[in-house]
Amino acid sequence: MDRILSADGTPIAYLRQGEGPPLVLVGGALSTAATEAPLAALLAPRFTVITYDRRGRGASGDGGWAAGREVEDLAAVVGAAGAGASLFGMSSGGALALEAAAAGLPVELCAVYEPPYTPGASGLLFKARCTTRLHRLLAAGDRAGAVELFLSMTGVADGTAARMRRTPRWAELEAMAHTLAYDDGLLGDGAIPAERFAAVAARTLVICGGFSSAPARATSRMLADALPRGRHRTLTGQMREVAPQVLAPVLAEFFTQDAYAYGRVP
């Protein structure tokens, strides 16, 4: 992997593959460039795909966290990708992509898959309780407990989580457990930051799965409505863990639509 320094001097590791217009993939919680590899491989025939290890993960450094620092990390990766880069963010990586776009990152096209905002009174209460529990577990050094909390929040059954603990992958998840607080921080109180996202100039596609939970589907539509140039698409038969072979053609279509569709030709 190559490395580039973020604004605060933290090294950020990234991988470039394929040929074509640059496209940066922004992973969600507990993901690395390797996690995004299957999707990247499907997109590489049409794009120069950049995957990266977010701050505190994999081969990247960790100089402390703030939302602004993660935005700076992404800006550095986009700069390395080259002019005209587009963004795709998965889950909380979608929240990061939108925060970067709102902060003025020069991207024309952005797509996100189910950023896990939890608007509404019950959703905000759920988020507050999870945040409190997550920070308590991390403060106690219970990395396994933090990972288990994340898995339970995302609908992973207890039996599945127990089986995961017996695999080599579990040690990798525990090593990144502290970054769950980073993703939690990106989501704020769980409400869609509509006022801040009003500054997103990029044309943005918000995608959800047709078999995802009703709140997740509703939130995706609300998010698309909150973005000045947002639109929504549902992938039939998909859930939170979307199949790369289903997602890739949708992204390829969105990122390669003709100039008339984007108003670049008068």
mmCIF file of all heavy atoms in Angstrom, residues 42-85:
data_model
loop_
_atom_site.group_PDB
_atom_site.id
_atom_site.type_symbol
_atom_site.label_atom_id
_atom_site.label_comp_id
_atom_site.label_asym_id
_atom_site.label_seq_id
_atom_site.Cartn_x
_atom_site.Cartn_y
_atom_site.Cartn_z
ATOM 1 N N LEU A 42 -14.611 -5.350 -8.651
ATOM 2 C CA LEU A 42 -15.680 -5.286 -9.638
ATOM 3 C C LEU A 42 -15.740 -3.938 -10.358
ATOM 4 O O LEU A 42 -16.183 -3.853 -11.507
ATOM 5 C CB LEU A 42 -17.020 -5.564 -8.959
ATOM 6 C CG LEU A 42 -17.216 -6.992 -8.431
ATOM 7 C CD1 LEU A 42 -18.464 -7.068 -7.564
ATOM 8 C CD2 LEU A 42 -17.300 -7.988 -9.585
ATOM 9 N N LEU A 43 -15.283 -2.879 -9.680
ATOM 10 C CA LEU A 43 -15.313 -1.543 -10.262
ATOM 11 C C LEU A 43 -14.043 -1.200 -11.030
ATOM 12 O O LEU A 43 -14.042 -0.297 -11.880
ATOM 13 C CB LEU A 43 -15.538 -0.502 -9.158
ATOM 14 C CG LEU A 43 -16.904 -0.543 -8.474
ATOM 15 C CD1 LEU A 43 -16.896 0.326 -7.221
ATOM 16 C CD2 LEU A 43 -18.000 -0.077 -9.433
ATOM 17 N N ALA A 44 -12.957 -1.915 -10.744
ATOM 18 C CA ALA A 44 -11.651 -1.582 -11.319
ATOM 19 C C ALA A 44 -11.602 -1.619 -12.846
ATOM 20 O O ALA A 44 -10.831 -0.853 -13.434
ATOM 21 C CB ALA A 44 -10.580 -2.503 -10.733
ATOM 22 N N PRO A 45 -12.383 -2.457 -13.537
ATOM 23 C CA PRO A 45 -12.319 -2.407 -15.002
ATOM 24 C C PRO A 45 -12.783 -1.081 -15.605
ATOM 25 O O PRO A 45 -12.456 -0.776 -16.753
ATOM 26 C CB PRO A 45 -13.257 -3.552 -15.429
ATOM 27 C CG PRO A 45 -13.215 -4.512 -14.283
ATOM 28 C CD PRO A 45 -13.153 -3.621 -13.067
ATOM 29 N N ARG A 46 -13.536 -0.273 -14.817
ATOM 30 C CA ARG A 46 -14.079 0.974 -15.359
ATOM 31 C C ARG A 46 -13.575 2.214 -14.641
ATOM 32 O O ARG A 46 -13.763 3.334 -15.127
ATOM 33 C CB ARG A 46 -15.608 0.940 -15.299
ATOM 34 C CG ARG A 46 -16.208 -0.202 -16.099
ATOM 35 C CD ARG A 46 -17.716 -0.228 -16.037
ATOM 36 N NE ARG A 46 -18.318 0.914 -16.684
ATOM 37 C CZ ARG A 46 -19.636 1.072 -16.839
ATOM 38 N NH1 ARG A 46 -20.470 0.136 -16.392
ATOM 39 N NH2 ARG A 46 -20.131 2.144 -17.430
ATOM 40 N N PHE A 47 -12.949 2.031 -13.465
ATOM 41 C CA PHE A 47 -12.509 3.172 -12.664
ATOM 42 C C PHE A 47 -11.115 2.907 -12.093
ATOM 43 O O PHE A 47 -10.712 1.755 -11.938
ATOM 44 C CB PHE A 47 -13.466 3.421 -11.492
ATOM 45 C CG PHE A 47 -14.890 3.657 -11.894
ATOM 46 C CD1 PHE A 47 -15.795 2.601 -11.970
ATOM 47 C CD2 PHE A 47 -15.334 4.928 -12.203
ATOM 48 C CE1 PHE A 47 -17.110 2.812 -12.344
ATOM 49 C CE2 PHE A 47 -16.647 5.149 -12.590
ATOM 50 C CZ PHE A 47 -17.544 4.089 -12.659
ATOM 51 N N THR A 48 -10.418 3.989 -11.775
ATOM 52 C CA THR A 48 -9.255 3.873 -10.913
ATOM 53 C C THR A 48 -9.786 3.919 -9.487
ATOM 54 O O THR A 48 -10.213 4.979 -9.010
ATOM 55 C CB THR A 48 -8.256 5.011 -11.148
ATOM 56 O OG1 THR A 48 -7.777 4.945 -12.483
ATOM 57 C CG2 THR A 48 -7.074 4.897 -10.193
ATOM 58 N N VAL A 49 -9.824 2.782 -8.838
ATOM 59 C CA VAL A 49 -10.470 2.668 -7.530
ATOM 60 C C VAL A 49 -9.429 2.822 -6.424
ATOM 61 O O VAL A 49 -8.399 2.140 -6.426
ATOM 62 C CB VAL A 49 -11.193 1.316 -7.384
ATOM 63 C CG1 VAL A 49 -11.948 1.259 -6.061
ATOM 64 C CG2 VAL A 49 -12.152 1.099 -8.555
ATOM 65 N N ILE A 50 -9.724 3.702 -5.490
ATOM 66 C CA ILE A 50 -8.859 3.942 -4.340
ATOM 67 C C ILE A 50 -9.575 3.440 -3.095
ATOM 68 O O ILE A 50 -10.675 3.897 -2.767
ATOM 69 C CB ILE A 50 -8.533 5.432 -4.160
ATOM 70 C CG1 ILE A 50 -8.029 6.045 -5.463
ATOM 71 C CG2 ILE A 50 -7.532 5.629 -3.028
ATOM 72 C CD1 ILE A 50 -6.725 5.510 -5.942
ATOM 73 N N THR A 51 -8.979 2.482 -2.411
ATOM 74 C CA THR A 51 -9.463 2.045 -1.102
ATOM 75 C C THR A 51 -8.417 2.441 -0.070
ATOM 76 O O THR A 51 -7.228 2.527 -0.386
ATOM 77 C CB THR A 51 -9.696 0.531 -1.064
ATOM 78 O OG1 THR A 51 -8.508 -0.137 -1.494
ATOM 79 C CG2 THR A 51 -10.843 0.127 -1.979
ATOM 80 N N TYR A 52 -8.854 2.690 1.160
ATOM 81 C CA TYR A 52 -7.872 3.115 2.160
ATOM 82 C C TYR A 52 -8.252 2.642 3.550
ATOM 83 O O TYR A 52 -9.417 2.316 3.821
ATOM 84 C CB TYR A 52 -7.679 4.632 2.120
ATOM 85 C CG TYR A 52 -8.770 5.495 2.731
ATOM 86 C CD1 TYR A 52 -8.576 6.133 3.954
ATOM 87 C CD2 TYR A 52 -9.978 5.711 2.065
ATOM 88 C CE1 TYR A 52 -9.546 6.956 4.498
ATOM 89 C CE2 TYR A 52 -10.955 6.532 2.604
ATOM 90 C CZ TYR A 52 -10.732 7.157 3.825
ATOM 91 O OH TYR A 52 -11.700 7.962 4.369
ATOM 92 N N ASP A 53 -7.229 2.572 4.401
ATOM 93 C CA ASP A 53 -7.442 2.248 5.806
ATOM 94 C C ASP A 53 -7.709 3.544 6.547
ATOM 95 O O ASP A 53 -6.834 4.429 6.603
ATOM 96 C CB ASP A 53 -6.203 1.571 6.411
ATOM 97 C CG ASP A 53 -5.960 0.185 5.858
ATOM 98 O OD1 ASP A 53 -6.882 -0.394 5.253
ATOM 99 O OD2 ASP A 53 -4.827 -0.321 6.032
ATOM 100 N N ARG A 54 -8.908 3.682 7.065
ATOM 101 C CA ARG A 54 -9.208 4.898 7.807
ATOM 102 C C ARG A 54 -8.343 4.979 9.064
ATOM 103 O O ARG A 54 -7.762 4.005 9.511
ATOM 104 C CB ARG A 54 -10.700 4.940 8.154
ATOM 105 C CG ARG A 54 -11.582 5.304 6.954
ATOM 106 C CD ARG A 54 -13.058 5.186 7.252
ATOM 107 N NE ARG A 54 -13.423 5.909 8.460
ATOM 108 C CZ ARG A 54 -14.591 5.778 9.089
ATOM 109 N NH1 ARG A 54 -15.490 4.913 8.620
ATOM 110 N NH2 ARG A 54 -14.851 6.459 10.180
ATOM 111 N N ARG A 55 -8.254 6.159 9.600
ATOM 112 C CA ARG A 55 -7.431 6.450 10.779
ATOM 113 C C ARG A 55 -7.655 5.419 11.893
ATOM 114 O O ARG A 55 -8.781 5.113 12.261
ATOM 115 C CB ARG A 55 -7.805 7.840 11.278
ATOM 116 C CG ARG A 55 -7.149 8.322 12.537
ATOM 117 C CD ARG A 55 -7.559 9.752 12.828
ATOM 118 N NE ARG A 55 -7.039 10.654 11.797
ATOM 119 C CZ ARG A 55 -6.133 11.589 12.024
ATOM 120 N NH1 ARG A 55 -5.654 11.772 13.243
ATOM 121 N NH2 ARG A 55 -5.714 12.369 11.042
ATOM 122 N N GLY A 56 -6.531 4.865 12.413
ATOM 123 C CA GLY A 56 -6.602 3.901 13.509
ATOM 124 C C GLY A 56 -6.813 2.477 13.067
ATOM 125 O O GLY A 56 -6.962 1.587 13.907
ATOM 126 N N ARG A 57 -6.793 2.229 11.756
ATOM 127 C CA ARG A 57 -7.079 0.888 11.252
ATOM 128 C C ARG A 57 -5.954 0.423 10.324
ATOM 129 O O ARG A 57 -5.322 1.229 9.644
ATOM 130 C CB ARG A 57 -8.385 0.878 10.458
ATOM 131 C CG ARG A 57 -9.528 1.550 11.182
ATOM 132 C CD ARG A 57 -10.765 1.563 10.317
ATOM 133 N NE ARG A 57 -11.764 2.454 10.884
ATOM 134 C CZ ARG A 57 -13.040 2.464 10.529
ATOM 135 N NH1 ARG A 57 -13.461 1.627 9.607
ATOM 136 N NH2 ARG A 57 -13.881 3.305 11.073
ATOM 137 N N GLY A 58 -5.761 -0.879 10.294
ATOM 138 C CA GLY A 58 -4.842 -1.467 9.335
ATOM 139 C C GLY A 58 -3.467 -0.836 9.356
ATOM 140 O O GLY A 58 -2.826 -0.707 10.407
ATOM 141 N N ALA A 59 -3.015 -0.388 8.194
ATOM 142 C CA ALA A 59 -1.673 0.161 8.040
ATOM 143 C C ALA A 59 -1.615 1.668 8.234
ATOM 144 O O ALA A 59 -0.546 2.268 8.082
ATOM 145 C CB ALA A 59 -1.132 -0.201 6.663
ATOM 146 N N SER A 60 -2.736 2.301 8.560
ATOM 147 C CA SER A 60 -2.747 3.744 8.794
ATOM 148 C C SER A 60 -2.398 4.065 10.240
ATOM 149 O O SER A 60 -2.549 3.227 11.136
ATOM 150 C CB SER A 60 -4.117 4.339 8.453
ATOM 151 O OG SER A 60 -4.336 4.329 7.062
ATOM 152 N N GLY A 61 -1.938 5.283 10.450
ATOM 153 C CA GLY A 61 -1.622 5.729 11.800
ATOM 154 C C GLY A 61 -2.864 6.194 12.539
ATOM 155 O O GLY A 61 -3.985 6.154 12.016
ATOM 156 N N ASP A 62 -2.657 6.648 13.748
ATOM 157 C CA ASP A 62 -3.775 7.101 14.580
ATOM 158 C C ASP A 62 -3.279 8.226 15.479
ATOM 159 O O ASP A 62 -2.779 7.994 16.569
ATOM 160 C CB ASP A 62 -4.326 5.950 15.421
ATOM 161 C CG ASP A 62 -5.647 6.309 16.086
ATOM 162 O OD1 ASP A 62 -6.058 7.477 15.994
ATOM 163 O OD2 ASP A 62 -6.266 5.419 16.687
ATOM 164 N N GLY A 63 -3.413 9.446 14.986
ATOM 165 C CA GLY A 63 -2.937 10.594 15.752
ATOM 166 C C GLY A 63 -4.013 11.238 16.587
ATOM 167 O O GLY A 63 -3.959 12.442 16.849
ATOM 168 N N GLY A 64 -5.003 10.442 17.018
ATOM 169 C CA GLY A 64 -6.118 11.014 17.777
ATOM 170 C C GLY A 64 -7.260 11.347 16.832
ATOM 171 O O GLY A 64 -7.072 11.515 15.623
ATOM 172 N N TRP A 65 -8.464 11.434 17.368
ATOM 173 C CA TRP A 65 -9.624 11.560 16.499
ATOM 174 C C TRP A 65 -10.398 12.851 16.734
ATOM 175 O O TRP A 65 -10.541 13.341 17.848
ATOM 176 C CB TRP A 65 -10.586 10.392 16.709
ATOM 177 C CG TRP A 65 -11.720 10.423 15.711
ATOM 178 C CD1 TRP A 65 -11.696 9.929 14.447
ATOM 179 C CD2 TRP A 65 -13.005 11.011 15.879
ATOM 180 N NE1 TRP A 65 -12.891 10.163 13.810
ATOM 181 C CE2 TRP A 65 -13.719 10.832 14.668
ATOM 182 C CE3 TRP A 65 -13.628 11.690 16.923
ATOM 183 C CZ2 TRP A 65 -15.018 11.294 14.479
ATOM 184 C CZ3 TRP A 65 -14.925 12.143 16.740
ATOM 185 C CH2 TRP A 65 -15.610 11.934 15.530
ATOM 186 N N ALA A 66 -10.883 13.390 15.636
ATOM 187 C CA ALA A 66 -11.943 14.390 15.583
ATOM 188 C C ALA A 66 -12.566 14.242 14.211
ATOM 189 O O ALA A 66 -11.900 13.793 13.265
ATOM 190 C CB ALA A 66 -11.403 15.802 15.779
ATOM 191 N N ALA A 67 -13.811 14.602 14.081
ATOM 192 C CA ALA A 67 -14.467 14.470 12.780
ATOM 193 C C ALA A 67 -13.699 15.228 11.710
ATOM 194 O O ALA A 67 -13.535 14.752 10.584
ATOM 195 C CB ALA A 67 -15.905 14.967 12.869
ATOM 196 N N GLY A 68 -13.207 16.409 12.064
ATOM 197 C CA GLY A 68 -12.444 17.202 11.109
ATOM 198 C C GLY A 68 -11.185 16.511 10.646
ATOM 199 O O GLY A 68 -10.763 16.663 9.486
ATOM 200 N N ARG A 69 -10.561 15.735 11.522
ATOM 201 C CA ARG A 69 -9.356 15.018 11.127
ATOM 202 C C ARG A 69 -9.672 13.916 10.118
ATOM 203 O O ARG A 69 -8.918 13.690 9.175
ATOM 204 C CB ARG A 69 -8.666 14.432 12.357
ATOM 205 C CG ARG A 69 -7.967 15.482 13.209
ATOM 206 C CD ARG A 69 -7.247 14.857 14.379
ATOM 207 N NE ARG A 69 -6.486 15.865 15.116
ATOM 208 C CZ ARG A 69 -5.790 15.610 16.226
ATOM 209 N NH1 ARG A 69 -5.770 14.377 16.724
ATOM 210 N NH2 ARG A 69 -5.127 16.581 16.831
ATOM 211 N N GLU A 70 -10.790 13.223 10.333
ATOM 212 C CA GLU A 70 -11.158 12.194 9.349
ATOM 213 C C GLU A 70 -11.507 12.829 8.002
ATOM 214 O O GLU A 70 -11.229 12.252 6.945
ATOM 215 C CB GLU A 70 -12.324 11.351 9.864
ATOM 216 C CG GLU A 70 -11.907 10.295 10.870
ATOM 217 C CD GLU A 70 -12.390 8.910 10.479
ATOM 218 O OE1 GLU A 70 -11.971 8.385 9.420
ATOM 219 O OE2 GLU A 70 -13.204 8.369 11.243
ATOM 220 N N VAL A 71 -12.106 14.006 8.030
ATOM 221 C CA VAL A 71 -12.369 14.724 6.783
ATOM 222 C C VAL A 71 -11.051 15.073 6.102
ATOM 223 O O VAL A 71 -10.913 14.942 4.883
ATOM 224 C CB VAL A 71 -13.214 15.979 7.051
ATOM 225 C CG1 VAL A 71 -13.244 16.888 5.823
ATOM 226 C CG2 VAL A 71 -14.638 15.590 7.450
ATOM 227 N N GLU A 72 -10.064 15.512 6.887
ATOM 228 C CA GLU A 72 -8.752 15.824 6.326
ATOM 229 C C GLU A 72 -8.076 14.578 5.751
ATOM 230 O O GLU A 72 -7.414 14.642 4.711
ATOM 231 C CB GLU A 72 -7.871 16.467 7.391
ATOM 232 C CG GLU A 72 -8.309 17.870 7.788
ATOM 233 C CD GLU A 72 -7.587 18.400 9.006
ATOM 234 O OE1 GLU A 72 -6.856 17.625 9.669
ATOM 235 O OE2 GLU A 72 -7.751 19.601 9.308
ATOM 236 N N ASP A 73 -8.232 13.439 6.439
ATOM 237 C CA ASP A 73 -7.690 12.183 5.913
ATOM 238 C C ASP A 73 -8.280 11.883 4.537
ATOM 239 O O ASP A 73 -7.558 11.541 3.593
ATOM 240 C CB ASP A 73 -8.006 11.012 6.854
ATOM 241 C CG ASP A 73 -7.404 11.160 8.239
ATOM 242 O OD1 ASP A 73 -6.522 12.021 8.427
ATOM 243 O OD2 ASP A 73 -7.837 10.403 9.131
ATOM 244 N N LEU A 74 -9.595 11.992 4.432
ATOM 245 C CA LEU A 74 -10.266 11.703 3.164
ATOM 246 C C LEU A 74 -9.841 12.707 2.101
ATOM 247 O O LEU A 74 -9.639 12.335 0.935
ATOM 248 C CB LEU A 74 -11.778 11.717 3.357
ATOM 249 C CG LEU A 74 -12.635 11.434 2.119
ATOM 250 C CD1 LEU A 74 -12.200 10.161 1.408
ATOM 251 C CD2 LEU A 74 -14.109 11.365 2.497
ATOM 252 N N ALA A 75 -9.686 13.959 2.484
ATOM 253 C CA ALA A 75 -9.236 14.975 1.531
ATOM 254 C C ALA A 75 -7.851 14.634 0.986
ATOM 255 O O ALA A 75 -7.575 14.812 -0.210
ATOM 256 C CB ALA A 75 -9.223 16.350 2.189
ATOM 257 N N ALA A 76 -6.979 14.116 1.851
ATOM 258 C CA ALA A 76 -5.639 13.726 1.408
ATOM 259 C C ALA A 76 -5.718 12.570 0.417
ATOM 260 O O ALA A 76 -5.008 12.546 -0.595
ATOM 261 C CB ALA A 76 -4.778 13.343 2.612
ATOM 262 N N VAL A 77 -6.581 11.599 0.688
ATOM 263 C CA VAL A 77 -6.739 10.457 -0.214
ATOM 264 C C VAL A 77 -7.321 10.908 -1.546
ATOM 265 O O VAL A 77 -6.880 10.463 -2.628
ATOM 266 C CB VAL A 77 -7.617 9.374 0.437
ATOM 267 C CG1 VAL A 77 -7.918 8.253 -0.550
ATOM 268 C CG2 VAL A 77 -6.940 8.809 1.679
ATOM 269 N N VAL A 78 -8.317 11.789 -1.511
ATOM 270 C CA VAL A 78 -8.901 12.320 -2.744
ATOM 271 C C VAL A 78 -7.843 13.073 -3.542
ATOM 272 O O VAL A 78 -7.784 12.978 -4.770
ATOM 273 C CB VAL A 78 -10.113 13.215 -2.432
ATOM 274 C CG1 VAL A 78 -10.546 14.012 -3.653
ATOM 275 C CG2 VAL A 78 -11.279 12.363 -1.926
ATOM 276 N N GLY A 79 -6.991 13.823 -2.839
ATOM 277 C CA GLY A 79 -5.917 14.515 -3.527
ATOM 278 C C GLY A 79 -4.972 13.556 -4.221
ATOM 279 O O GLY A 79 -4.508 13.809 -5.344
ATOM 280 N N ALA A 80 -4.685 12.427 -3.558
ATOM 281 C CA ALA A 80 -3.818 11.419 -4.175
ATOM 282 C C ALA A 80 -4.517 10.727 -5.337
ATOM 283 O O ALA A 80 -3.860 10.277 -6.282
ATOM 284 C CB ALA A 80 -3.406 10.383 -3.123
ATOM 285 N N ALA A 81 -5.849 10.638 -5.276
ATOM 286 C CA ALA A 81 -6.596 9.962 -6.341
ATOM 287 C C ALA A 81 -6.529 10.733 -7.647
ATOM 288 O O ALA A 81 -6.504 10.137 -8.723
ATOM 289 C CB ALA A 81 -8.051 9.774 -5.913
ATOM 290 N N GLY A 82 -6.519 12.052 -7.565
ATOM 291 C CA GLY A 82 -6.436 12.871 -8.760
ATOM 292 C C GLY A 82 -7.697 13.662 -9.019
ATOM 293 O O GLY A 82 -8.741 13.447 -8.390
ATOM 294 N N ALA A 83 -7.611 14.580 -9.960
ATOM 295 C CA ALA A 83 -8.721 15.483 -10.261
ATOM 296 C C ALA A 83 -9.944 14.708 -10.711
ATOM 297 O O ALA A 83 -9.847 13.704 -11.417
ATOM 298 C CB ALA A 83 -8.294 16.475 -11.339
ATOM 299 N N GLY A 84 -11.099 15.217 -10.290
ATOM 300 C CA GLY A 84 -12.361 14.622 -10.716
ATOM 301 C C GLY A 84 -12.778 13.381 -9.959
ATOM 302 O O GLY A 84 -13.641 12.632 -10.430
ATOM 303 N N ALA A 85 -12.190 13.149 -8.778
ATOM 304 C CA ALA A 85 -12.525 11.952 -8.010
ATOM 305 C C ALA A 85 -13.970 11.999 -7.520
ATOM 306 O O ALA A 85 -14.482 13.056 -7.145
ATOM 307 C CB ALA A 85 -11.579 11.797 -6.830
#
